[in-house]
Every structure is written in C-alpha cells, then in structure tokens.
Amino acid sequence: MMPVAYALLRGLAANPALPPELLDRLVALADDELAGVLAGRDDLGRTRALALARRVGEAAVSLAYGGRLAAADVEPAEWPEAALALLDRGEAPAAWARAFAVDPDPARRGRLAACPGLPADVTERLARDPVPDVVAELASWAPADTAARLAAHPHLSVRHAVAGNDATPSAVLESLLTGEGLPRLAAAVSAPPRRRRRSPSCCPASAAAATTSPPSAASAKPC
C-alpha cells in the first residue's frame, strides 16, 4: 500500500466520526499498526474488538487493557498475553493465575508476578520460582508481608526490588541498609566457589606411592 494511502487509512481509523460501515471495513483490513489505532476507539464494541483480535493477535493485549475484551472473550492458550492483561486488571479467574504460575516461559511468570491480588498459593509459588527475575518482579509489587520475607532472598536483584517496593515496611528497609536482622544469605551467593581438593586418584604418582609405601612428608604434598 502506498504511504499516502496508508496515512489516509490511519486518519480514518482515528476519526471519532467514522461511519460504522467504514469502521467495519477498516477492521477487516487492519494490520499491526492500524489495529493499534482502532483498538483505542471508544465505539469499537465487543464484536469488532473480537474481530480485530482474531485478525491481529497482538491487538488483543491493548483491547484487554482497554476493557474491550473480557475474560469470557479470551482463551489463555490462544491469547496468553491478553489473559495476563486481564489478570493485571483484576478481571480474570484465579485458575488462570495458577496456570500461568507453572507456565514454562519465565517471561510469562514474570508478567504474572506483577499482577495485583494474586491468590496466596500463587504468590507462594512465585516466591520460590527458580528464576531470580521472576521473584524480583514479585518483590517489586508484593504486599508488605511478602516483601518482608523476600528481603532475605539470596539474590541481590530480589533484594534490590524489595528496596524499591513502596509497600516494604520501614523496619525491613532499615535492615536492608544495615544488614542487621536479615539472614546472611547474600554472602553465600556472592562468595567465589571453594576450590575442590584433588583426591589421590587425580595424581597417578601419588596414587602409586600410596599403594607401595606409607605416606611420607614428600608424598603428602598436594598434586
């Protein structure tokens, strides 16, 4: 499509006085960019919103955030990002949160961790997530009790997120500053790994000596 003609389509899509029949035509030929303009229209309605989401899947996210798609309109397996947007708005069932908490994609678990009002069991699972970025996202938005618990997390990124959470109790913030009152878990993460001592079998000469004669001062030296 020629640039001038496409600019005209964008102008039409943004026009609040666009007749309904022309709006239908624009929805039917929308691409990613045009869908972004159409998704913001107040007169889009549920039927057009669904049609637009089916044509351009990425538009489902902005449609969900804009309140033009509801939980009844969204299948999480088809539009997972839109489902997460509805969870972020507090307009999705708890079953969705539990499903996303075990999603194999850590980016989706991270998106879930930022959602408000999660069930307690989902929050607990996310707090034990093996990916620190997911836990850090939870720590950034968690309520006071969860933030206080995550202040002792071994990963610095999680503690940094707790420090920036405005729900974190002041006593916990002070502990983060002074290091007092929190388990000393950080040192275990930041300390260099201990060097493993070789066994006699890693040094053939020492192993042979060990089988033929008692250990001497010379053979007791490390390999």
Side-chain angles (χ1 to χ4, degrees):
M1 187 177 295
M2 297 294 292
V4 174
Y6 191 79
L8 290 175
L9 288 179
R10 289 197 62 189
L12 289 170
N15 187 341
L18 188 71
E21 60 274 15
L22 292 184
L23 179 55
D24 290 336
R25 289 175 64 182
L26 287 179
V27 168
L29 57 82
D31 60 5
D32 291 357
E33 187 174 354
L34 203 59
V37 180
L38 291 169
R41 293 186 63 95
D42 293 333
D43 60 347
L44 195 62
R46 179 175 180 268
T47 301
R48 292 192 188 99
L50 281 169
L52 185 62
R54 292 190 179 107
R55 178 170 177 81
V56 182
E58 292 79 0
V61 177
S62 54
L63 290 167
Y65 270 120
R68 293 169 179 81
L69 288 180
D73 304 319
V74 173
E75 172 55 52
E78 181 183 7
W79 293 326
E81 299 303 320
L84 285 164
L86 290 173
L87 281 165
D88 197 24
R89 285 173 56 91
E91 298 176 358
W96 289 12
R98 294 187 174 96
F100 279 115
V102 294
D103 192 291
D105 185 352
R108 289 178 184 166
R109 301 200 304 273
R111 287 278 310 278
L112 174 68
C115 295
L118 294 173
D121 59 309
V122 173
T123 298
E124 179 61 29
R125 178 178 287 273
L126 292 172
R128 293 183 285 105
D129 197 282
V131 179
D133 286 350
V134 174
V135 187
E137 194 66 34
L138 178 68
S140 295
W141 308 101
D145 57 340
T146 302
R149 183 157 57 95
L150 291 177
H153 196 277
H155 285 271
L156 177 60
S157 61
V158 177
R159 302 196 305 277
H160 180 273
V162 172
N165 184 342
D166 57 12
T168 302
S170 57
V172 176
L173 294 175
E174 184 177 356
S175 294
L176 287 169
L177 179 63
T178 64
E180 298 177 0
L182 295 176
R184 296 184 177 277
L185 298 176
V189 173
S190 58
R194 296 182 62 183
R195 189 173 180 180
R196 293 179 61 186
R197 196 171 184 178
R198 293 185 183 182
S199 64
S201 60
C202 73
C203 185
S206 295
T211 60
T212 58
S213 61
S216 65
S219 63
K221 290 183 180 180
C223 300

